[in-house]
């Protein structure tokens, strides 16, 4: 599959099979994530593998759609407000690389923003100085939804003089 095909076919998964996902594979996809652009090579991302006890405490309304693996991905604050913002952007790129690498091998993700809530930060044991970019269900899709319609890119391009 080409990178364009991978990008165009990727979907958010809301129904996972119970089949386990090998942590060695996940590590490979996370390693691909590290190739994300990051200003001054800050490599601000951290990954927490969420175990069953912590997952239960998080009490996600859909239990991450029964994904066999749950990850929390964090971004370390920078020395300045601008560096912190750059780190968040870099970590989002890390996430996208991870998502695409997994998708290319038939594994999907569900991205939840619930990790930013103070209660959930405490459950995850997130220290001050970190933002939770997301909590992710990871697994083999039981069902893949059709793509939602997107605004044509030509409607989003502005030409400056």
């Amino acid at each position: 599959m080409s990178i364009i095909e991978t990008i165009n076919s990727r979907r958010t998964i809301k129904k996972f099979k119970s089949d386990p996902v090998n942590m060695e594979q996940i590590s490979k996809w996370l390693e691909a994530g590290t190739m994300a652009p990051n200003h001054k090579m800050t490599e601000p991302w951290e990954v927490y593998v969420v175990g069953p006890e912590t997952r239960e405490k998080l009490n996600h309304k859909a239990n991450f759609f029964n994904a066999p693996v749950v990850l929390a991905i964090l971004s370390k604050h920078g020395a300045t407000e601008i560096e912190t913002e750059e780190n968040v952007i870099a970590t989002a790129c890390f996430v996208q690389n991870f998502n695409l690498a997994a998708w290319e091998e038939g594994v999907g993700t569900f991205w939840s923003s619930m990790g930013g809530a103070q209660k959930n930060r405490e459950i995850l044991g997130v220290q001050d100085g970190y933002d939770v970019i997301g909590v992710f269900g990871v697994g083999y899709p039981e069902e893949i939804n059709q793509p939602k319609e997107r605004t044509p890119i030509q409607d989003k391009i502005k030409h400056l003089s």
Side-chain angles (χ1 to χ4, degrees):
M1 184 176 337
S2 76
I3 189 68
I4 296 294
E5 291 169 327
T6 302
I7 291 167
N8 287 335
S9 68
R10 192 214 55 83
R11 301 286 176 271
T12 295
I13 301 304
K14 293 189 177 176
K15 191 171 185 183
F16 291 94
K17 294 179 181 177
S18 60
D19 301 358
V21 181
N22 183 311
M23 284 306 295
E24 196 172 288
Q25 284 180 290
I26 290 174
S27 292
K28 179 177 79 169
W29 304 326
L30 290 169
E31 191 68 40
T34 68
M35 297 309 292
N38 61 105
H39 189 67
K40 297 182 182 176
M41 291 297 293
T42 57
E43 299 182 304
W45 39 78
E46 288 204 16
V47 180
Y48 293 4
V49 179
V50 179
E53 187 178 310
T54 301
R55 180 177 177 157
E56 188 174 317
K57 288 178 187 174
L58 286 172
N59 194 28
H60 183 268
K61 66 182 176 190
N63 190 22
F64 304 98
F65 300 99
N66 298 313
V69 176
V70 174
L71 304 175
I73 299 181
L74 286 63
S75 177
K76 186 173 176 36
H77 289 182
T80 65
E81 190 175 319
I82 290 171
E83 187 176 294
T84 296
E85 188 175 320
E86 289 170 344
N87 286 353
V88 166
I89 294 165
T91 304
C93 291
F94 169 92
V95 167
Q96 182 71 343
N97 282 2
F98 168 76
N99 284 341
L100 293 173
W103 188 255
E104 184 179 46
E105 294 190 29
V107 171
T109 61
F110 169 78
W111 185 339
S112 171
S113 60
M114 70 177 296
Q118 186 58 39
K119 173 186 162 209
N120 294 329
R121 287 176 60 85
E122 290 169 10
I123 290 168
L124 290 167
V126 177
Q127 299 174 21
D128 289 341
Y130 286 86
D131 292 310
V132 181
I133 302 306
V135 182
F136 298 81
V138 180
Y140 292 97
E142 177 78 32
E143 184 176 285
I144 300 172
N145 295 325
Q146 291 299 309
K148 293 181 180 176
E149 191 171 328
R150 303 292 207 268
T151 302
I153 193 61
Q154 291 305 318
D155 294 351
K156 299 285 187 170
I157 297 174
K158 309 276 187 264
H159 294 271
L160 306 175
S161 57

